Amino acid sequence: MVFFLNIDFASHVAIVAEIAEDGRSVIAGGERYIVVQPQGQAEIAFVVVDAYQDQGIGTILMRHLAVLARDGGLKELVAEVLPENTAMLKLFKKYGFRTDSKKSLQVAHLTLQLP
C-alpha cells in the first residue's frame, strides 16, 4: 500500500477523477504511470469505476496523464491490456498506442511514442 501512496510526480505519477455523488465528491477513476526504464519509458494503468464507465472519464484521464508524461520528459508509454477489454483497447488506440510485437493470448502489449 505504501508503494501506491508514495507519489513523487517524477518517477511515479498518479491522478484521479472526482465526481459529485449525492452532494459529496467521490473518486470515479484514476490513472498512474511508473517509470520502468531510466531512458524515459513508463508503464501506465488506470481504472474507471463501473458506474462511471462510458462517460469519457478514461479519455480525460488519458489526456491529462499524457501531458504530464511529456512534460516530465518521458519518451514512451507502455501498457498491458486484457484482449477482452475492448473499451480500453479502443481508448489506447485513439491516443495512438500501437500493438507491440510481443504476441500473447493473455495480454495485449501496447506502446505510445511521445513527441
Side-chain angles (χ1 to χ4, degrees):
M1 187 162 54
V2 170
F3 174 76
F4 287 105
L5 297 175
N6 240 349
I7 310 301
D8 63 11
F9 279 92
S11 64
H12 190 169
V13 173
I15 58 175
V16 296
E18 289 184 339
I19 194 162
E21 184 179 275
D22 298 326
R24 61 187 180 96
S25 289
V26 296
I27 294 176
E31 184 174 30
R32 71 179 59 237
Y33 72 71
I34 299 169
V35 175
V36 293
Q37 296 286 331
Q39 300 86 4
Q41 182 189 67
E43 184 172 351
I44 70 168
F46 64 97
V47 64
V48 176
V49 174
D50 288 346
Y52 299 110
Q53 290 183 3
D54 298 320
Q55 296 181 32
I57 292 171
T59 299
I60 292 167
L61 287 168
M62 185 67 230
R63 183 180 316 129
H64 286 290
L65 199 71
V67 169
L68 291 171
R70 274 190 216 95
D71 290 350
L74 294 178
K75 305 290 184 229
E76 181 179 62
L77 296 176
V78 296
E80 293 185 343
V81 181
L82 295 174
E84 60 269 16
N85 192 344
T86 55
M88 188 63 68
L89 289 169
K90 182 179 174 182
L91 176 66
F92 280 130
K93 290 188 189 242
K94 173 182 171 180
Y95 275 90
F97 279 79
R98 303 272 184 240
T99 303
D100 197 329
S101 60
K102 298 177 190 174
K103 297 291 181 189
S104 170
L105 297 176
Q106 292 83 18
V107 66
H109 301 274
L110 304 164
T111 60
L112 174 68
Q113 302 299 314
L114 297 172

